[in-house]
Amino acid sequence: MIKIKLGIADSNRLYLDRFTKLIERKYKNQIEIYSFSDPEAVPQAVKDNKINVLMVSQDMDISSDSIAEFCMFSYLSDSAQIDTYNGQKTICKYRRIELIYRQILGLYSEKLADKVRYRVSNKKRSHISLFMSVCEGAGATTAAAAFAERLADSGKKTLFLNLKQFRDTKNIFSASGEGSFTDVIFAVKSRKVNMTLKLESIVKQSVSGVYFYDTCTNPLDQTEMKESELRLLIDELSGSFGYDNIVIVSDFFFTDKLAMLLEYSSDIIIVSGDSRMSKDQLLQRTGAIEKLEKRKQISISDKLGLIFNKTKYVKTFSTDIPVLGIHPELETADEREIVRSFAASEIFDRICMREETV
């Protein structure tokens, strides 16, 4: 990946020095930085050095009109609550350097659009695991989140991708930063930003080490993504960011998008209860999968695994799908505790062993 040429103009020399050293220490391979305390020197320096992104302190007398059009302009503000200043985007100068870096990527992606695409060299594509619930509330999201944490804890760079329309995961994964899956959808659909850089600028990382995107700001946004666009997104995430694993949780409705996910995934984990209704729903869905296999002439059934969740019994109903494990019904309603319980169990051992033999 090429370096972003970043300019920063601030009258506070101490801040300039600290910021420059921090950027050079943490992002020397991603950013080439130019710092200025004299506002008069900035416009010409931007032209001469072809600076890509310029951040200007609000107290500096530098107009965006004086800056070359190829350079993205933003103001440095003292407050994270300020979104724009003089019609230009702002970046809070006192946020963590990781958050500032991602905002810089976001700005650069708007200027670069999709003229340049990046690929991680000599890197195999991500291993994709798909989780779905037989019935609403069976626990596919918590199971998927637990598996993602299990992978991250073992040292694998893991992305958790929530594709369920009405399922917020803020109680499971949280981190500071801007953007949500709504911005992901916009990046895929729009030609006004560079998709690779935009996706990198809004991804977050939880305390447990799992990368994730916040849920859509509006649940209806999920319906805006077409099958071809979701395919493009999965290809991009799997090939460009060095994720060892991508763990996806999806609604179990047979659409073109789900058919694509079933085909792309290496592991398909169905989460079910042990009720008669769960058994009936499972039979209907596995029957539909068999028909899909015949119609598209693809193999799906051999990738299936089943988790029984929220059950009080040691025995459950019989099924042809390999049972990965049984997770008991817990007294707690705290999602984080349920995720920790799942992650600490032996349920995912078979998936991990299968992946290691591939």
Coordinates of all heavy atoms in Angstrom, one line a residue, residues 277-337:
M277 N -41.1 -27.3 17.6 CA -41.1 -26.3 16.5 C -39.7 -26.1 15.9 O -39.5 -26.0 14.7 CB -41.5 -25.0 17.1 CG -41.6 -23.9 16.1 SD -42.3 -22.3 16.7 CE -40.9 -21.8 17.8
S278 N -38.6 -26.2 16.8 CA -37.3 -26.1 16.3 C -36.9 -27.2 15.3 O -36.3 -27.0 14.3 CB -36.3 -26.1 17.4 OG -36.4 -24.9 18.2
K279 N -37.4 -28.4 15.7 CA -37.2 -29.6 14.8 C -37.8 -29.4 13.5 O -37.2 -29.7 12.4 CB -37.7 -30.9 15.5 CG -37.4 -32.1 14.7 CD -37.9 -33.4 15.5 CE -37.6 -34.6 14.6 NZ -38.1 -35.9 15.4
D280 N -39.1 -29.0 13.5 CA -39.8 -28.8 12.2 C -39.2 -27.7 11.4 O -39.1 -27.9 10.1 CB -41.3 -28.4 12.6 CG -42.1 -29.5 13.2 OD1 -41.6 -30.7 13.1 OD2 -43.1 -29.2 13.8
Q281 N -38.7 -26.6 12.0 CA -38.1 -25.5 11.3 C -36.8 -26.0 10.7 O -36.4 -25.7 9.5 CB -37.8 -24.3 12.2 CG -39.1 -23.6 12.6 CD -39.7 -22.8 11.5 OE1 -39.0 -22.3 10.6 NE2 -41.0 -22.6 11.6
L282 N -36.0 -26.8 11.4 CA -34.8 -27.3 10.9 C -35.0 -28.3 9.7 O -34.2 -28.2 8.7 CB -34.0 -28.1 12.0 CG -32.7 -28.7 11.7 CD1 -31.7 -27.6 11.3 CD2 -32.1 -29.5 12.8
L283 N -36.0 -29.1 9.8 CA -36.3 -30.0 8.7 C -36.7 -29.2 7.4 O -36.2 -29.6 6.3 CB -37.4 -31.0 9.0 CG -37.0 -32.1 10.0 CD1 -38.3 -32.9 10.5 CD2 -36.0 -33.0 9.4
Q284 N -37.4 -28.2 7.6 CA -37.8 -27.3 6.4 C -36.6 -26.7 5.8 O -36.5 -26.6 4.6 CB -38.8 -26.3 6.9 CG -40.2 -26.8 7.2 CD -41.2 -25.7 7.7 OE1 -40.9 -24.5 7.6 NE2 -42.3 -26.1 8.2
R285 N -35.7 -26.2 6.6 CA -34.6 -25.4 6.1 C -33.5 -26.3 5.5 O -32.9 -26.0 4.5 CB -34.0 -24.6 7.2 CG -34.8 -23.3 7.5 CD -34.4 -22.6 8.8 NE -35.0 -21.3 8.9 CZ -36.3 -21.0 9.1 NH1 -37.1 -22.0 9.2 NH2 -36.7 -19.8 9.2
T286 N -33.3 -27.5 6.1 CA -32.3 -28.4 5.5 C -32.9 -29.0 4.2 O -32.1 -29.2 3.2 CB -32.0 -29.5 6.5 OG1 -33.2 -30.2 6.9 CG2 -31.2 -29.0 7.6
G287 N -34.2 -29.1 4.1 CA -34.9 -29.6 2.9 C -34.7 -28.5 1.8 O -34.4 -28.9 0.6
A288 N -34.8 -27.2 2.1 CA -34.5 -26.2 1.2 C -33.1 -26.1 0.7 O -32.8 -25.8 -0.4 CB -35.0 -24.8 1.8
I289 N -32.2 -26.4 1.7 CA -30.7 -26.4 1.3 C -30.5 -27.5 0.3 O -29.7 -27.3 -0.7 CB -29.9 -26.6 2.6 CG1 -29.9 -25.3 3.4 CG2 -28.5 -27.0 2.2 CD1 -29.1 -25.5 4.7
E290 N -31.1 -28.7 0.5 CA -30.9 -29.8 -0.5 C -31.4 -29.4 -1.9 O -30.7 -29.7 -2.9 CB -31.7 -31.0 0.0 CG -31.0 -31.7 1.3 CD -31.9 -32.8 1.8 OE1 -32.9 -33.1 1.1 OE2 -31.5 -33.4 2.8
K291 N -32.5 -28.7 -1.9 CA -33.0 -28.3 -3.2 C -32.1 -27.2 -3.9 O -31.9 -27.2 -5.1 CB -34.4 -27.7 -3.1 CG -35.5 -28.7 -2.7 CD -36.8 -28.1 -2.5 CE -37.9 -29.1 -2.0 NZ -39.2 -28.6 -1.8
L292 N -31.5 -26.4 -3.0 CA -30.6 -25.3 -3.5 C -29.3 -26.0 -4.1 O -28.8 -25.6 -5.1 CB -30.2 -24.4 -2.4 CG -29.3 -23.2 -2.7 CD1 -29.9 -22.3 -3.7 CD2 -28.9 -22.5 -1.5
E293 N -28.9 -27.0 -3.4 CA -27.7 -27.8 -3.9 C -27.9 -28.4 -5.3 O -27.1 -28.3 -6.2 CB -27.3 -28.9 -2.9 CG -26.7 -28.4 -1.6 CD -26.4 -29.6 -0.7 OE1 -27.3 -30.3 -0.4 OE2 -25.3 -29.7 -0.2
K294 N -29.1 -29.0 -5.5 CA -29.4 -29.6 -6.8 C -29.6 -28.5 -7.8 O -29.1 -28.7 -9.0 CB -30.7 -30.4 -6.6 CG -30.5 -31.6 -5.7 CD -31.8 -32.4 -5.6 CE -31.7 -33.6 -4.7 NZ -33.0 -34.3 -4.5
R295 N -30.2 -27.4 -7.5 CA -30.4 -26.4 -8.5 C -29.2 -25.7 -8.9 O -29.0 -25.4 -10.1 CB -31.4 -25.3 -7.9 CG -31.9 -24.3 -9.0 CD -32.9 -23.4 -8.4 NE -32.3 -22.5 -7.4 CZ -33.0 -21.7 -6.6 NH1 -34.3 -21.8 -6.5 NH2 -32.3 -20.9 -5.8
K296 N -28.3 -25.4 -8.0 CA -27.0 -24.7 -8.3 C -25.9 -25.6 -8.5 O -24.8 -25.2 -8.9 CB -26.7 -23.7 -7.2 CG -27.6 -22.5 -7.2 CD -27.2 -21.5 -6.1 CE -27.9 -20.2 -6.3 NZ -27.4 -19.4 -7.5
Q297 N -26.1 -27.0 -8.2 CA -25.0 -28.0 -8.4 C -23.8 -27.6 -7.5 O -22.7 -27.5 -8.0 CB -24.6 -28.2 -9.8 CG -25.8 -28.7 -10.7 CD -25.3 -29.0 -12.1 OE1 -24.4 -28.4 -12.7 NE2 -26.0 -30.0 -12.7
I298 N -24.1 -27.3 -6.3 CA -23.0 -26.9 -5.3 C -23.1 -27.8 -4.1 O -24.2 -28.4 -3.9 CB -23.1 -25.4 -4.9 CG1 -24.4 -25.1 -4.3 CG2 -22.7 -24.5 -6.1 CD1 -24.6 -23.7 -3.8
S299 N -22.1 -27.9 -3.3 CA -22.1 -28.7 -2.1 C -22.2 -27.8 -0.9 O -21.4 -26.9 -0.6 CB -20.8 -29.5 -2.0 OG -20.8 -30.3 -0.8
I300 N -23.2 -28.0 -0.1 CA -23.5 -27.2 1.1 C -23.6 -28.1 2.4 O -23.0 -27.9 3.4 CB -24.8 -26.4 1.0 CG1 -24.6 -25.4 -0.1 CG2 -25.0 -25.6 2.3 CD1 -25.9 -24.6 -0.4
S301 N -24.3 -29.3 2.2 CA -24.6 -30.1 3.4 C -23.4 -30.6 4.1 O -23.5 -30.7 5.3 CB -25.5 -31.3 2.9 OG -26.7 -30.9 2.3
D302 N -22.3 -30.9 3.4 CA -21.1 -31.4 4.1 C -20.4 -30.3 4.9 O -19.5 -30.6 5.6 CB -20.2 -32.0 3.1 CG -19.7 -31.0 2.0 OD1 -20.2 -29.9 2.0 OD2 -18.8 -31.4 1.3
K303 N -20.9 -29.0 4.8 CA -20.3 -28.0 5.6 C -21.1 -27.6 6.8 O -20.7 -26.8 7.6 CB -20.2 -26.7 4.7 CG -19.3 -26.9 3.5 CD -19.0 -25.6 2.8 CE -20.2 -25.1 2.0 NZ -20.0 -23.9 1.2
L304 N -22.2 -28.3 7.0 CA -23.2 -28.0 8.1 C -22.7 -28.6 9.4 O -22.2 -29.7 9.5 CB -24.6 -28.5 7.8 CG -25.3 -27.9 6.6 CD1 -26.6 -28.6 6.4 CD2 -25.5 -26.4 6.8
G305 N -23.0 -27.8 10.5 CA -22.8 -28.3 11.8 C -24.0 -27.7 12.7 O -24.5 -26.6 12.3
L306 N -24.3 -28.4 13.8 CA -25.5 -28.0 14.6 C -25.1 -27.8 16.0 O -24.4 -28.6 16.6 CB -26.6 -29.0 14.4 CG -27.9 -28.7 15.2 CD1 -28.6 -27.5 14.6 CD2 -28.8 -30.0 15.1
I307 N -25.6 -26.7 16.6 CA -25.4 -26.4 18.0 C -26.8 -26.3 18.6 O -27.6 -25.6 18.2 CB -24.6 -25.1 18.3 CG1 -23.2 -25.2 17.8 CG2 -24.7 -24.7 19.8 CD1 -22.4 -23.9 17.9
F308 N -27.0 -27.1 19.7 CA -28.2 -27.0 20.4 C -28.0 -26.0 21.6 O -27.0 -26.1 22.3 CB -28.7 -28.3 21.0 CG -29.3 -29.3 20.0 CD1 -28.6 -30.4 19.5 CD2 -30.5 -29.0 19.5 CE1 -29.1 -31.2 18.6 CE2 -31.1 -29.9 18.6 CZ -30.4 -31.0 18.1
N309 N -28.8 -25.0 21.6 CA -28.6 -23.9 22.6 C -29.8 -23.7 23.5 O -31.0 -24.0 23.1 CB -28.3 -22.6 21.9 CG -27.9 -21.5 22.8 OD1 -27.3 -21.7 23.9 ND2 -28.3 -20.2 22.5
K310 N -29.6 -23.2 24.7 CA -30.7 -23.0 25.7 C -31.5 -24.2 26.0 O -32.7 -24.2 26.1 CB -31.6 -21.9 25.2 CG -30.9 -20.5 24.8 CD -31.9 -19.5 24.3 CE -31.2 -18.2 23.9 NZ -32.2 -17.2 23.4
T311 N -30.8 -25.3 26.1 CA -31.5 -26.6 26.4 C -31.2 -27.0 27.8 O -30.2 -26.8 28.4 CB -31.2 -27.7 25.4 OG1 -31.8 -28.9 25.8 CG2 -29.7 -28.0 25.5
K312 N -32.2 -27.7 28.4 CA -32.1 -28.2 29.8 C -31.8 -29.7 29.8 O -31.6 -30.3 30.8 CB -33.4 -28.0 30.6 CG -33.7 -26.5 30.8 CD -35.0 -26.3 31.6 CE -35.3 -24.9 31.8 NZ -36.6 -24.7 32.5
Y313 N -31.7 -30.3 28.6 CA -31.6 -31.7 28.5 C -30.3 -32.1 27.9 O -29.6 -31.4 27.1 CB -32.7 -32.3 27.6 CG -34.1 -31.8 28.0 CD1 -34.8 -30.8 27.3 CD2 -34.7 -32.4 29.1 CE1 -36.0 -30.3 27.7 CE2 -36.0 -32.0 29.5 CZ -36.6 -30.9 28.8 OH -37.9 -30.5 29.2
V314 N -29.8 -33.3 28.3 CA -28.6 -33.9 27.7 C -28.8 -34.4 26.3 O -28.0 -34.3 25.4 CB -28.0 -35.0 28.7 CG1 -26.8 -35.6 28.0 CG2 -27.7 -34.4 30.0
K315 N -30.0 -35.0 26.2 CA -30.4 -35.6 24.9 C -31.3 -34.6 24.1 O -32.1 -33.9 24.7 CB -31.1 -36.9 25.0 CG -30.2 -38.0 25.5 CD -30.9 -39.3 25.5 CE -30.0 -40.5 26.0 NZ -30.7 -41.8 26.0
T316 N -31.2 -34.6 22.8 CA -32.0 -33.7 22.0 C -32.6 -34.6 20.9 O -32.3 -35.8 20.8 CB -31.2 -32.6 21.4 OG1 -30.1 -33.1 20.6 CG2 -30.6 -31.7 22.5
F317 N -33.4 -33.9 20.0 CA -33.9 -34.7 18.9 C -32.9 -35.1 17.9 O -31.8 -34.5 17.8 CB -35.1 -33.9 18.2 CG -34.6 -32.6 17.6 CD1 -33.9 -32.5 16.4 CD2 -35.0 -31.4 18.2 CE1 -33.6 -31.3 15.8 CE2 -34.6 -30.2 17.6 CZ -33.9 -30.2 16.4
S318 N -33.1 -36.2 17.2 CA -32.1 -36.8 16.3 C -32.1 -36.0 15.0 O -33.1 -35.4 14.6 CB -32.4 -38.2 16.0 OG -33.7 -38.4 15.4
T319 N -30.9 -35.9 14.4 CA -30.7 -35.2 13.1 C -29.5 -35.8 12.4 O -28.6 -36.3 13.0 CB -30.5 -33.7 13.4 OG1 -30.1 -33.0 12.2 CG2 -29.3 -33.5 14.4
D320 N -29.6 -35.6 11.0 CA -28.5 -36.1 10.2 C -27.3 -35.1 10.2 O -26.2 -35.4 9.8 CB -28.9 -36.3 8.8 CG -29.9 -37.4 8.6 OD1 -29.9 -38.3 9.5 OD2 -30.8 -37.4 7.7
I321 N -27.5 -33.9 10.7 CA -26.4 -32.9 10.8 C -25.5 -33.2 12.0 O -26.0 -33.4 13.1 CB -27.0 -31.5 10.9 CG1 -28.0 -31.2 9.7 CG2 -25.9 -30.4 10.9 CD1 -28.7 -29.8 9.8
P322 N -24.2 -33.1 11.8 CA -23.3 -33.4 12.9 C -23.5 -32.3 14.0 O -23.6 -31.1 13.7 CB -21.9 -33.2 12.2 CG -22.1 -33.4 10.8 CD -23.5 -33.0 10.5
V323 N -23.7 -32.8 15.2 CA -23.9 -32.0 16.4 C -22.6 -31.6 17.0 O -21.8 -32.4 17.4 CB -24.8 -32.7 17.4 CG1 -25.0 -31.8 18.6 CG2 -26.1 -33.0 16.8
L324 N -22.3 -30.3 17.0 CA -21.0 -29.7 17.5 C -21.1 -29.7 19.0 O -20.0 -29.8 19.7 CB -20.8 -28.3 17.0 CG -20.7 -28.2 15.4 CD1 -20.5 -26.7 15.0 CD2 -19.5 -29.0 14.9
G325 N -22.2 -29.5 19.6 CA -22.3 -29.5 21.1 C -23.7 -29.0 21.5 O -24.5 -28.6 20.8
I326 N -23.8 -29.1 22.8 CA -25.1 -28.7 23.5 C -24.7 -27.6 24.5 O -23.9 -27.9 25.4 CB -25.8 -29.8 24.2 CG1 -26.2 -30.9 23.1 CG2 -27.1 -29.3 24.9 CD1 -26.8 -32.2 23.8
H327 N -25.3 -26.4 24.4 CA -25.0 -25.3 25.3 C -26.2 -25.2 26.2 O -27.3 -25.0 25.7 CB -24.7 -24.0 24.6 CG -24.2 -23.0 25.5 ND1 -24.9 -21.9 26.0 CD2 -22.9 -22.8 26.0 CE1 -24.2 -21.2 26.8 NE2 -23.0 -21.7 26.8
P328 N -26.0 -25.2 27.5 CA -27.2 -25.2 28.4 C -27.9 -23.9 28.5 O -27.3 -22.8 28.2 CB -26.6 -25.6 29.8 CG -25.2 -25.1 29.7 CD -24.8 -25.3 28.3
E329 N -29.1 -23.9 29.0 CA -29.8 -22.6 29.3 C -29.2 -22.0 30.5 O -29.1 -22.6 31.6 CB -31.3 -22.9 29.5 CG -32.1 -21.6 29.6 CD -33.6 -21.9 29.7 OE1 -33.9 -23.0 30.1 OE2 -34.4 -21.0 29.5
L330 N -28.8 -20.7 30.4 CA -28.2 -20.0 31.5 C -29.2 -19.2 32.3 O -30.1 -18.7 31.6 CB -27.0 -19.2 31.0 CG -25.9 -19.9 30.3 CD1 -24.8 -18.9 29.9 CD2 -25.3 -21.0 31.1
E331 N -29.0 -19.0 33.5 CA -29.9 -18.1 34.3 C -29.7 -16.6 34.0 O -30.6 -15.9 34.1 CB -29.7 -18.3 35.8 CG -30.1 -19.7 36.3 CD -29.9 -19.9 37.8 OE1 -29.5 -18.9 38.4 OE2 -30.1 -21.0 38.3
T332 N -28.5 -16.3 33.6 CA -28.2 -14.9 33.3 C -28.8 -14.4 31.9 O -28.9 -15.2 31.0 CB -26.7 -14.6 33.3 OG1 -26.5 -13.2 33.0 CG2 -26.0 -15.4 32.2
A333 N -29.1 -13.1 31.8 CA -29.6 -12.6 30.6 C -28.5 -11.7 30.0 O -28.7 -11.0 28.9 CB -30.9 -11.8 30.8
D334 N -27.4 -11.6 30.7 CA -26.3 -10.7 30.2 C -25.6 -11.4 29.0 O -25.1 -12.5 29.1 CB -25.3 -10.5 31.4 CG -24.2 -9.5 31.0 OD1 -23.2 -10.0 30.4 OD2 -24.3 -8.3 31.2
E335 N -25.6 -10.7 27.9 CA -25.0 -11.2 26.7 C -23.5 -11.5 26.8 O -23.0 -12.5 26.2 CB -25.3 -10.3 25.5 CG -26.8 -10.4 25.0 CD -27.0 -9.6 23.7 OE1 -27.0 -8.4 23.7 OE2 -27.1 -10.3 22.7
R336 N -22.8 -10.6 27.5 CA -21.4 -10.8 27.6 C -21.1 -12.1 28.4 O -20.2 -12.9 28.0 CB -20.8 -9.6 28.3 CG -20.6 -8.4 27.5 CD -19.7 -8.6 26.3 NE -18.5 -9.3 26.6 CZ -17.8 -10.0 25.7 NH1 -18.1 -10.1 24.5 NH2 -16.7 -10.6 26.1
E337 N -21.9 -12.4 29.4 CA -21.7 -13.6 30.2 C -22.0 -14.9 29.3 O -21.3 -15.9 29.4 CB -22.5 -13.6 31.4 CG -22.1 -12.6 32.5 CD -22.9 -12.8 33.8 OE1 -23.3 -13.9 34.0 OE2 -23.0 -11.8 34.5

